[in-house]
Structure formats: C-alpha cells, structure tokens
Amino acid sequence: MCRSIKTLRPPALPDEATEDDIRAAALQYVRKVSGFRVPAAHNREVFERAVDEIADATARLLDGLEVRGAHPAPVRTRVREPQPDAV
C-alpha cells in the first residue's frame, strides 16, 4: 500500500523508532488513505487529528510488541579449505 512507510521495529530499524519516525509514518498513511498530500483548510483539523491518533496508536503498538530474535543471525562466511599447490 504505502511503499514509503518503513518498518519501525527491529531489526528493520536498528534503534528504537523516534517520535519523528512514527509521525512521518502516520502522515504518509493519512495522505495515502485520504488522497490528499496537503489538506484544504476546511479539512486540516480532521487530517491533523487523524495523524495524531495514528501516531499514538503506532507508538502503543511498537511499545507492546515483543520482538523475538531481534538480533540478526551472524553472517556465516565459508571457510575455504587449503588447496594443494597445482603442479
């Protein structure tokens, strides 16, 4: 749906999401759903209220998530066996 909204939980985001991250995601969501990038003056209040409510819900969601295995597994490198010298 909104390709510009990024995942805000680990491991996709290395640190905890900031209020700015959460608000930006909420704004993108409201823009997508409403179809307005910037609301007209008569819609501004409801638009901003929606952004605030979605940001609050997002913060509660992120606070309540239990992310298991948040640390990515170590990358295993293949160890090459020593090769006999070619004759």
Side-chain angles (χ1 to χ4, degrees):
M1 181 173 134
C2 293
R3 293 183 196 137
S4 57
I5 296 176
K6 63 184 178 180
T7 302
L8 297 180
R9 67 162 180 80
L13 196 64
D15 296 319
E16 199 171 291
T18 65
E19 286 183 33
D20 288 341
D21 293 329
I22 293 170
R23 181 136 181 105
L27 178 60
Q28 287 296 333
Y29 177 81
V30 172
R31 284 176 173 169
K32 184 67 167 191
V33 170
S34 70
F36 297 111
R37 187 177 184 293
V38 178
H42 62 278
N43 287 326
R44 188 169 297 126
E45 184 180 336
V46 71
F47 190 93
E48 288 299 320
R49 187 171 354 130
V51 172
D52 292 341
E53 290 173 2
I54 292 167
D56 290 344
T58 302
R60 287 192 307 273
L61 170 67
L62 292 173
D63 287 343
L65 287 177
E66 178 183 336
V67 181
R68 295 181 178 178
H71 301 290
V75 177
R76 296 175 193 238
T77 55
R78 194 177 201 181
V79 178
R80 297 183 75 192
E81 296 292 324
Q83 298 295 317
D85 293 336
V87 183

